[in-house]
Every structure is written in structure tokens, then in C-alpha cells.
Amino acid sequence: MKKPPIISIVLPCYNEALVLPTTTTVLLNLLDNLIKDNLISSSSYILCSNDGSKDETWNVIKNLHVKDNRIKGISLAHNKGHQNALLAGLMTVIDNCDASISIDADLQDDPQAIVQMVKEFINGAEIVYGVRSSRATDTWFKRTTAHAFYSFQQLMGLNTIYDHADYRLMSNRALHLLSEYGESNLFLRGIIPQIGLTTAIVKYERKERIAGESKYPLSKMLSFSIDGITSFSAKPMRVIFMVGLILLLVDIAVAMYVFISYFSGTTISGWASLMLSIWFLGSLILMGIGIVGEYIGKIFIEVKQRPRYAIKDSLWD
Ligand code: UDP
Ligand code: MG
């Protein structure tokens, strides 16, 4: 019989001192059950990736590590955001596990789905996406804005898995493929579907945060969405181009109107149409410049090729 796989669970943690003791207890229990059922190796572990937290998070992780060294940790020197904290964690466990599972530290995403993910992995899936079957416990506002976020991305040509956040299992091979992406504007949900290995989906119910509060207000979600779109798709530029093309046709009609007014001797009345076109075109040009600016901004950051994170401390023994 094949040896059961070593599974690592990666938790990005930003100011999660309140939730980590509960979260790690729940996850260790889950690992113990999976070990008992001989589904995973007893060398499976949890890695907490501390994203430059301002509270006691790192001390909490240190204490947890002393109590049980299956809880490991890395600490980023600065707050680099969920995606970078997650990537730092994944790149730390690479080659130290057969598959990694990323899950938010607040356990809003049902950890029980891990059992099914592991089974899918054993059956040959290399990427298993956790997909929310309902968002009943999210507020109406969070739910609506989140759905608007997915639809808008789809419209703008960015393909992501609907209602999948960053709760997923990735095999070691998938992690290696992910490590080939050198971009510093990270949008994992866009990159991972491009990796293209055998995938599976596991559905689960999304719950309330066990403690603390959300670090993803609308403003962060919006900037995340714009980031995703401009990192993966040139569609916004194409939309502007199409609008410009249509306006060119409209301009012909406007020109005809101006000429007719001119030859009928009522030129003063042309003022209204002139003002209208100036305002309309002015705003369009500004929009166009804004979008081109987004891409130039991206190029600017990419060419600098800065390291995406710096690991400050590490608990690895
Ligand atoms: N997180 C992080 N860095 C940040 C913000 C959030 O590592 O700058 C982590 C956070 O600790 C949590 C996960 O990302 O584990 C999701 O954040 P949160 O639960 O606040 O977002 P929500 O579920 O409300 O979208
Ligand atoms: Mg959450």
C-alpha cells in the first residue's frame, strides 16, 4: 500500500492572536482524526504565516509551537497582505509535504471540508478548490458586494472559480508550478486556474468569524479586484477602444449636424453641441488615461522585480 501523504495546512495570520489558539486546536484535532483513519501521515503539520501583525500573534504562534511542534511558523517583516502571506507560507512548505491546504485563520471556511479535499487528492486531484455553497452567514452587504466582484471580473475577462476564495489544496507539483510565476502583483485566484493540473471541487458552508473582525473591508476588496483584472486582462483597454470607435461614428453625425446648422446660418446655436462633445470626450479621455495608467503602473512595479516578502523569523525544527 502507498504511504499516506504528508499534509501541511497553511494559515495566513494578520492580527489573529484571538483566534489562533482555537483555530490550531480545531485543526490539530482534524489532523489527528485523519491520521487515525490512515488518510494522512503522522508527520502532517500546520504552518502559521504571520503577516507582520501588530498584536500578539507572533508570540501566540511561538507558544503554540513550544506546546506542539506540529505547529510551525514564519513571520514576515512587514504587513504584505493576505496573498503574499499565503505565498510565503506555501513556498516555505514546498518540498516539505505532499500537499498543502491553505485556509483563513478565522475558520470561516468549514475545516471539515479538508477531509474531502484530502480524499480528492488521494484520488489523483492535484488542485482541489473549496467552493462556498452558500453565504447565508455573511451580511447582505458583504454577500452582494462579493458577488458583484466576481461578475465584474468575469465581465472584464478574468477567469476565476466562482465563490472560491483561497481555501484550496495544492499538490507539491502544483506548488512548484506556482513558484514559476515571478510577478509581484499576486492574484492567486487568477494564477492557479492557469496552472492546469487535474482539479476537483469541494463544497462547504461559510460560517461567521470565530473572533476578531474582518480585515477585508470594501475598499480592500475593490483594490483587490482592480489588481486582479489589470494583472490578467487587457479587456478594459479594449472596451475603451470600442467606445472610442463608436464615438467616432457618433462624431460623424455631430459633424453633419454642425455643417447643416452652419449653412442654414444659425451658427450660434452650435455652442450647445460643442460644449456637449467637449465634456463628453474630456471625460472619456480621462478614463482612458486612467486605465492606461493602471497598466503602466503594473509595468513599473514588475520591472523593479522586488522581492515579494522577507521572512524575519522562522520556527522550523
Ligand atoms: N490576512 C493577512 N494579511 C492581511 C489581511 C488579512 O494575512 O493584510 C489574513 C487574515 O488573518 C485571515 C485571512 O487573511 O486569515 C482572511 O482575512 P479576513 O478573515 O479578515 O477576510 P474576510 O474573511 O472577512 O474576507
Ligand atoms: Mg474571514
Side-chain angles (χ1 to χ4, degrees):
M1 213 182 88
K2 251 178 78 179
K3 268 205 332 217
I6 299 176
I7 301 291
S8 62
I9 299 182
V10 177
L11 301 172
C13 313
Y14 178 59
N15 296 347
E16 301 285 12
L18 276 179
V19 305
L20 273 177
T22 325
T23 300
T24 47
T25 311
V26 171
L27 291 176
L28 281 178
N29 272 335
L30 194 102
L31 288 182
D32 284 337
N33 287 336
L34 286 168
I35 293 166
K36 226 184 293 155
D37 295 342
N38 209 25
L39 283 170
I40 64 171
S41 153
S42 55
S43 317
S44 299
Y45 57 91
I46 299 171
L47 176 79
C48 303
S49 174
N50 174 32
D51 186 15
S53 297
K54 290 172 185 63
D55 68 354
E56 285 299 296
T57 300
W58 183 238
N59 283 335
V60 171
I61 297 171
K62 275 186 190 161
N63 290 336
L64 290 166
H65 175 69
V66 171
K67 275 192 226 142
D68 189 331
N69 78 346
R70 286 187 297 165
I71 299 174
K72 303 180 189 298
I74 55 168
S75 187
L76 304 192
H78 310 281
N79 178 229
K80 287 298 205 169
H82 171 258
Q83 300 282 291
N84 285 312
L86 180 56
L87 187 77
L90 293 176
M91 292 304 121
T92 306
V93 300
I94 206 168
D95 289 334
N96 286 306
C97 64
D98 296 303
S100 75
I101 294 170
S102 51
I103 183 168
D104 287 353
D106 57 7
L107 291 194
Q108 280 191 285
D109 302 314
D110 186 4
Q112 279 304 323
I114 290 177
V115 178
Q116 196 53 38
M117 285 185 176
V118 168
K119 285 181 182 161
E120 294 284 358
F121 172 64
I122 292 168
N123 287 334
E126 297 220 41
I127 300 177
V128 185
Y129 297 104
V131 170
R132 295 166 187 170
S133 57
S134 90
R135 281 174 171 265
T137 55
D138 274 350
T139 60
W140 176 86
F141 184 74
K142 177 96 192 177
R143 203 162 51 227
T144 323
T145 47
H147 276 163
F149 167 87
Y150 286 107
S151 311
F152 183 62
Q153 283 178 354
Q154 214 73 39
L155 197 74
M156 286 292 144
L158 169 62
N159 290 321
T160 49
I161 309 278
Y162 197 76
D163 258 352
H164 158 71
D166 285 298
Y167 185 19
R168 73 176 84 77
L169 176 146
M170 291 178 83
S171 69
N172 197 43
R173 186 153 71 113
L175 290 178
H176 271 284
L177 291 173
L178 173 65
S179 70
E180 311 265 306
Y181 286 78
E183 64 203 81
S184 46
N185 263 295
L186 250 205
F187 191 71
L188 291 172
R189 288 173 225 182
I191 294 173
I192 288 162
Q194 290 187 354
I195 291 178
L197 296 169
T198 320
T199 60
I201 281 178
V202 169
K203 295 219 168 192
Y204 65 90
E205 295 275 335
R206 178 146 161 110
K207 292 186 280 200
E208 310 249 20
R209 216 169 208 288
I210 48 179
E213 53 187 39
S214 171
K215 282 108 199 158
Y216 266 95
L218 184 66
S219 56
K220 256 198 192 172
M221 253 172 67
L222 261 180
S223 81
F224 192 46
S225 185
I226 292 171
D227 231 36
I229 292 164
T230 49
S231 301
F232 281 90
S233 156
K235 213 165 173 182
M237 284 204 291
R238 232 166 289 147
V239 170
I240 288 291
F241 177 76
M242 288 312 290
V243 172
L245 210 67
I246 293 164
L247 270 181
L248 208 67
L249 296 176
V250 176
D251 277 354
I252 297 170
V254 172
M256 270 163 64
Y257 170 70
V258 169
F259 277 127
I260 290 165
S261 315
Y262 179 78
F263 287 117
S264 58
T266 55
T267 32
I268 283 301
S269 64
W271 182 83
S273 56
L274 252 179
M275 283 310 271
L276 271 177
S277 21
I278 287 169
W279 278 91
F280 194 45
L281 287 175
S283 57
L284 269 176
I285 289 166
L286 280 180
M287 272 169 60
I289 292 173
I291 289 182
V292 172
E294 267 290 327
Y295 285 93
I296 294 176
K298 283 264 144 76
I299 295 166
F300 180 61
I301 293 164
E302 291 304 336
V303 293
K304 286 195 274 197
Q305 297 215 326
R306 283 180 174 160
R308 280 165 290 182
Y309 49 79
I311 295 176
K312 195 168 65 175
D313 297 307
S314 167
L315 299 173
W316 192 264
D317 53 56

